[in-house]
Every structure is written in structure tokens, then in C-alpha cells.
């Protein structure tokens, strides 16, 4: 036939399995088969029955490629502080007389709601439409550079050091330490803290009044406490003077006390109540308070 003639001439036809017996010692190879579109799952391996081991990976010293050590781990606050220190991307000025202090509106607004309101009013005023004259034409406005930043005037402040103390507080500089060179600067910081509602800055400036107290600055610090409503701090200063009769006598004869006669009157009345007949001495009052506290603790424990 034709198929046999073809086989004899050129071998087996396409698709026909070769008529060859398998060799000894070898397995016969099955013809490869491909099923298009059919997904076959891999056979599941038998589990060993052992619990998985926890592996510890040492990540110390691991760094992302392309970043130096100064950029790793920087927070948003640290980034804004770095921009302030480099004087970059500032968009507002704090103005004290002829001095201007650059800052970032987002930093000021984030730390003080009052500052946020003032900055929002400044921004809305800058974007307000031009005024219209009575004849219907727009009034001419003074030309301003598009890069000009708004300016926040600081009224009632005399010392530039107080503004720097404010900005150090806003940007978290100084490691949280508060340090000013004089009581006058400290009073300006108290004024800024009160105007902008910065209670933590006010606490730092108020604590400064109790440190380094002498007969030379006691009356002025009492006046500062009265001006800013620091009642507890004023009482502590007054008690420190009354506890030392020699210090009280020096203060009563000083030139500063003549400027604040009401303060001297309050000190003398407080001293009279302290040392009137039958009044307990400071040591006795302290012992009495300790005894009352001890009794309260025993009663509460019972």
C-alpha cells in the first residue's frame, strides 16, 4: 500500500509511535503531552510534623540605599526645625521694630490657636478683592511683589531676645531648657505667651521668677506676678521674704518698693499676720501640716 511504501522510503509517518522495544535496564519514556489551558496542582508534600522555628534577623546598621545617616528617622517636626535653622521656605515674618524674624506659618498655627486665627485673617485680607470706588471703578492698590511675605507685628515687646525665645519654643530648640538673660526679657516672654495662649511657655517663664531670687529683684518679680496673674508664684516669693526678717527689712527700704506701695503694704500685712501673738511659727506650721497629712493618710487607709 501507499503508507507502507512511505514508511519503507522515509521511515515512520508523523504522529506514529516508533515500533522499537524498550531496552533492558531502562524505563520507557512516555511521550510528552501538553494540555493547553488546563492548570494542574502540584502534588502536596507530606508534612514533617515539626513546629516552625523562629528566626532572628539582625537589622542593626541596615540602611536604605541613597540616604545618609542624617536623613534616616527624621520626623516632620525635626524637618521643619531644620528648615527654620537653615532659613529655608519661610513664609511669614515676626516684626519687632526694625527687626524681622522669619518663620513658617504652619509651625506657628500648629502650636497656637490664636496665632492660627491671626494668620488666617492676614491671609484672607491679602486675598480680598480690590475695593470699588463710588464711580464704579476699582481703586488702585499699591503694587506688591508676589514673593512678599506677610508680617505679624509684635506689640508691647521691647526685647528681641524674647522673640527668639518664642521661636525656640515653637521649633523645640534648646533641648527644652528655658534660659533668658534678664527679668525684663522674661516679662516680654510672659507677655508673648499670654497674647498667643502658650501655656507651656508661660509656665517656663513663671518658673524663672522663682529661681535666683534676691532682695534686689524680689519686688520687681512680685510686680510681674501681679501683672500676669501669677498668684501662687507671688505668694511663694512673699513667703520667702517674710521667712527672713532681714530680707524683708532690706526690701522695705529699697528704692523699687517706692514704685509699688501696694506691694509693700501687702507684705507688711502678711508679715503682721505671721508674727502676731499666738500665731504659729513657720516651723510649727510645717510640723502641723505634716501631722495633718499623716492623719489624713491613716484615716484614708482605714
Amino acid at each position: 500500500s501507499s503508507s507502507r511504501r512511505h514508511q519503507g522510503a522515509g521511515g515512520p509517518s508523523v504522529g506514529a509511535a516508533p515500533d522499537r522495544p524498550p531496552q533492558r535496564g531502562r524505563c520507557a519514556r512516555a511521550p510528552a503531552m501538553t494540555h493547553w489551558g488546563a492548570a494542574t496542582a502540584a502534588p502536596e508534600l507530606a508534612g514533617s510534623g515539626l513546629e516552625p522555628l523562629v528566626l532572628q534577623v539582625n537589622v542593626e546598621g541596615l540602611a536604605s540605599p541613597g540616604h545618609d545617616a542624617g536623613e534616616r528617622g527624621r520626623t516632620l517636626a525635626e524637618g521643619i526645625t531644620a528648615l527654620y535653622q537653615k532659613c529655608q521656605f519661610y513664609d511669614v515674618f515676626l516684626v519687632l521694630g526694625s527687626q524681622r524674624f522669619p518663620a513658617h506659618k504652619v509651625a506657628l498655627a500648629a502650636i497656637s490657636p490664636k496665632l492660627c486665627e491671626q494668620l488666617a485673617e492676614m491671609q484672607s485680607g491679602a486675598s480680598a478683592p480690590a475695593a470699588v470706588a463710588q464711580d464704579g471703578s476699582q481703586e488702585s492698590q499699591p503694587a506688591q511683589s508676589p514673593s512678599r511675605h506677610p508680617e505679624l507685628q509684635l506689640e508691647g515687646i521691647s526685647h528681641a531676645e524674647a522673640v527668639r525665645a518664642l521661636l525656640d519654643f515653637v521649633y523645640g530648640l534648646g533641648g527644652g531648657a528655658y534660659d533668658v538673660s534678664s527679668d525684663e526679657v522674661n516679662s516680654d516672654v510672659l507677655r508673648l505667651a499670654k497674647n498667643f495662649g502658650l501655656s507651656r511657655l508661660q509656665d517656663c517663664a513663671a518658673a524663672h521668677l522663682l529661681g535666683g531670687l534676691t532682695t534686689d529683684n524680689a519686688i520687681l518679680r512680685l510686680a510681674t506676678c501681679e501683672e500676669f496673674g501669677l498668684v501662687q508664684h507671688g505668694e511663694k516669693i512673699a513667703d520667702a521674704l517674710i521667712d527672713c526678717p532681714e530680707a524683708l527689712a532690706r526690701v522695705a527700704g529699697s528704692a523699687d518698693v517706692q514704685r509699688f506701695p501696694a506691694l509693700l503694704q501687702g507684705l507688711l500685712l502678711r508679715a503682721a499676720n505671721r508674727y502676731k501673738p499666738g500665731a504659729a511659727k513657720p516651723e510649727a506650721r510645717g510640723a502641723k501640716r505634716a501631722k495633718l497629712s499623716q492623719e489624713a493618710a491613716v484615716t484614708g487607709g482605714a
Side-chain angles (χ1 to χ4, degrees):
S1 63
S2 60
S3 62
R4 289 182 179 179
R5 286 195 303 267
H6 182 72
Q7 290 178 4
S13 62
V14 178
D19 190 9
R20 184 182 300 171
Q23 301 178 5
R24 292 184 179 181
R26 295 185 181 181
C27 296
R29 300 182 63 183
M33 300 182 66
T34 302
H35 302 275
W36 296 103
T40 58
E44 297 184 0
L45 298 178
S48 62
L50 299 177
E51 292 293 332
L53 297 178
V54 178
L55 303 178
Q56 300 294 336
V57 180
N58 183 13
V59 297
E60 185 177 354
L62 192 62
S64 300
H67 298 280
D68 57 20
E71 294 179 349
R72 295 198 301 271
R74 176 180 291 181
T75 64
L76 176 61
E78 292 170 344
I80 294 178
T81 300
L83 292 177
Y84 167 70
Q85 292 176 310
K86 297 176 183 177
C87 201
Q88 293 179 336
F89 300 107
Y90 57 87
D91 52 6
V92 66
F93 285 108
L94 302 183
V95 180
L96 177 62
S98 60
Q99 301 185 65
R100 301 195 304 170
F101 301 85
H104 301 89
K105 288 188 287 187
V106 64
L108 299 176
I111 204 165
S112 167
K114 291 186 177 180
L115 276 171
C116 183
E117 292 178 4
Q118 293 186 27
L119 293 171
E121 291 176 359
M122 293 170 59
Q123 184 171 350
S124 62
S127 60
V132 180
Q134 293 182 355
D135 58 358
S137 62
Q138 288 188 346
E139 295 182 352
S140 60
Q141 299 291 333
Q144 292 186 354
S145 172
S147 62
R148 179 179 176 85
H149 301 306
E151 298 181 350
L152 182 61
Q153 300 289 335
L154 301 176
E155 304 293 340
I157 307 300
S158 304
H159 298 84
E161 184 183 349
V163 185
R164 287 191 288 269
L166 168 67
L167 291 174
D168 286 350
F169 172 79
V170 169
Y171 288 97
L173 298 175
Y178 176 81
D179 185 25
V180 292
S181 61
S182 67
D183 286 348
E184 290 76 15
V185 174
N186 192 63
S187 295
D188 275 353
V189 174
L190 281 170
R191 192 167 292 108
L192 289 170
K194 182 179 180 181
N195 292 342
F196 298 138
L198 301 172
S199 58
R200 288 196 294 121
L201 180 59
Q202 180 174 338
D203 291 342
C204 294
H208 178 82
L209 297 172
L210 303 181
L213 185 66
T214 67
T215 53
D216 292 338
N217 58 28
I219 290 298
L220 294 178
R221 291 190 178 188
L222 278 174
T224 301
C225 291
E226 185 175 346
E227 178 183 357
F228 294 100
L230 304 173
V231 178
Q232 294 181 349
H233 294 74
E235 290 179 349
K236 289 183 179 295
I237 295 175
D239 287 340
L241 289 172
I242 295 171
D243 289 342
C244 182
E246 182 182 357
L248 182 59
R250 286 193 183 185
V251 168
S254 65
D256 288 335
V257 81
Q258 299 178 7
R259 299 165 50 192
F260 307 99
L263 292 179
L264 177 59
Q265 182 181 4
L267 283 173
L268 295 177
L269 288 175
R270 196 179 186 92
N273 292 329
R274 172 78 62 86
Y275 295 108
K276 68 180 180 181
K281 294 183 178 181
E283 297 82 0
R285 289 198 306 272
K288 184 178 180 180
R289 284 196 295 266
K291 182 179 180 181
L292 291 175
S293 300
Q294 185 178 5
E295 292 177 354
V298 172
T299 304

